[in-house]
């Protein structure tokens, strides 16, 4: 059994490099990181391929070949669906599958195979009124358990359970129909972290994971983005 990390990417190849390096440093089990390249800007696909090549002992690169969709939420779900259809449900049925944003970095030691013992799913849960669903930016699937269900898990946004949901909303159907209670992963927004004051950043699993929240690129918060880069660099400089 391995941990198969599914990391969809759109921009900033340096984040993927940091992510892989931190997994190498802190993940205490055998793993493979699978980069799902959904970039559109000319030349970025080669940069992502180069990052994976630099870490070819643990990383592989795939281009998302599903038809292009508009919007970051649909785009994220579309890349995840490519991975589910072509990788997860074809070759990872005996593994732990970790869906993770490419700007989330593992900062402390953990064995995710051991962590997932006795759990079918662990996730940073999302809710709309009484509708709970998985956020594919941080969801861990115990595939030896998940593969036993008749339906497949999906993560598209839309209207589910009578509520309008963003990325991951469709996973509500899977967990509701199969009566699954995912293990909730905790999140802390901003605050002090490793000697720095986080700005529009967050941590998961009691500080084990640091999330840069790169959405500040597409929502126009450029000044905050530059400030966050400085904070991230300071944290990484101290391990």
């Amino acid at each position: 059994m391995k941990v198969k990390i599914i990391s969809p990417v759109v921009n900033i190849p340096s984040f993927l490099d940091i992510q892989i390096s931190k997994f190498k440093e802190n993940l205490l089990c055998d793993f493979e990181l699978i980069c799902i390249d959904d970039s559109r800007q000319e030349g970025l696909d080669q940069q992502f391929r180069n990052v994976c090549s630099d870490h070819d002992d643990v990383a592989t690169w795939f281009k998302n070949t599903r038809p292009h969709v508009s919007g970051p939420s649909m785009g994220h779900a579309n890349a995840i669906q490519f991975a589910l259809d072509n990788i997860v449900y074809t070759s990872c049925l005996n593994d732990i599958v970790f869906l993770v944003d490419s700007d989330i970095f593992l900062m402390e030691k953990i064995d995710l195979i051991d962590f997932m013992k006795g759990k079918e799913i662990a996730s940073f849960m999302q809710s709309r009124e009484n509708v709970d669903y998985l956020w594919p930016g941080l969801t861990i699937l115990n595939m030896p358990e998940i593969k036993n269900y008749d339906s497949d898990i999906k993560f598209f946004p839309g209207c589910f359970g009578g509520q309008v949901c963003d990325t991951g909303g469709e996973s509500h159907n899977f967990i509701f129909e199969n009566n699954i209670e995912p293990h909730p992963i905790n999140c802390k927004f901003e605050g002090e972290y490793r000697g720095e004051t986080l700005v529009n950043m967050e941590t998961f699993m009691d500080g084990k994971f640091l999330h840069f929240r790169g959405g500040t690129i597409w929502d126009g918060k450029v000044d905050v983005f530059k400030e966050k880069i400085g904070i991230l660099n300071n944290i990484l400089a101290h391990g």
Side-chain angles (χ1 to χ4, degrees):
M1 174 181 282
K2 278 187 178 183
V3 174
K4 300 290 184 69
I5 302 166
I6 307 294
S7 181
V9 297
V10 177
N11 47 39
I12 315 186
S14 60
F15 279 4
L16 179 65
D17 184 58
I18 294 169
Q19 183 179 67
I20 296 172
S21 296
K22 298 307 286 184
F23 275 123
K24 281 183 171 181
E25 178 183 340
N26 290 317
L27 190 53
L28 302 176
C29 49
D30 196 11
F31 77 94
E32 177 186 2
L33 186 138
I34 300 167
C35 166
I36 308 299
D37 187 347
D38 201 35
S39 63
R40 303 295 166 182
Q41 185 177 331
E42 185 178 353
L44 272 181
D45 55 348
Q46 186 58 54
Q47 293 182 53
F48 285 121
R49 292 185 75 163
N50 290 343
V51 170
C52 291
S53 179
D54 290 342
H55 298 279
D56 62 1
D57 55 328
V58 296
T60 54
W61 175 93
F62 287 84
K63 186 67 179 178
N64 178 15
T65 56
R66 286 175 61 89
H68 178 63
V69 295
S70 60
S73 187
M74 281 295 293
H76 186 192
N78 195 48
I80 291 289
Q81 194 60 48
F82 169 85
L84 291 171
D85 291 344
N86 296 280
I87 302 167
V88 174
Y89 276 104
T90 61
S91 61
C92 301
L93 295 179
N94 296 313
D95 296 306
I96 301 296
V97 169
F98 185 11
L99 308 178
V100 64
D101 274 7
S102 61
D103 62 345
I104 291 181
F105 313 119
L106 179 58
M107 304 300 295
E108 297 180 11
K109 307 288 186 185
I110 188 172
D111 183 334
L112 286 178
I113 293 177
D114 185 65
F115 173 78
M116 287 301 292
K117 288 180 179 177
K119 304 179 183 74
E120 292 179 299
I121 299 174
S123 181
F124 174 52
M125 299 297 295
Q126 303 290 289
S127 297
R128 297 293 185 270
E129 298 295 334
N130 62 336
V131 175
D132 298 327
Y133 57 98
L134 312 172
W135 180 55
L138 195 77
T139 288
I140 312 172
L141 306 173
N142 189 339
M143 291 307 296
E145 300 294 331
I146 298 300
K147 70 181 181 183
N148 294 321
Y149 293 106
D150 292 334
S151 57
D152 292 349
I153 192 167
K154 299 180 185 295
F155 288 90
F156 282 100
C159 187
F160 304 101
Q163 299 295 327
V164 176
C165 307
D166 61 0
T167 313
E170 194 171 0
S171 66
H172 167 77
N173 292 346
F174 182 82
I175 60 177
F176 178 76
E177 292 166 1
N178 295 300
N179 197 29
I180 296 173
E181 293 187 12
H183 176 82
I185 292 175
N186 60 43
C187 174
K188 180 183 178 183
F189 184 67
E190 297 189 336
E192 297 298 313
Y193 184 74
R194 300 194 170 209
E196 297 289 325
T197 301
L198 299 182
V199 175
N200 196 31
M201 301 164 73
E202 60 197 1
T203 57
F204 296 103
M205 209 180 286
D206 299 318
K208 287 183 173 60
F209 291 91
L210 173 65
H211 186 198
F212 182 84
R213 289 173 58 94
T216 50
I217 297 173
W218 54 261
D219 67 12
K221 299 176 183 177
V222 178
D223 291 339
V224 175
F225 179 80
K226 292 178 180 177
E227 181 181 3
K228 289 164 62 175
I229 287 291
I231 294 169
L232 176 62
N233 287 337
N234 288 341
I235 292 172
L236 293 173
H238 293 91

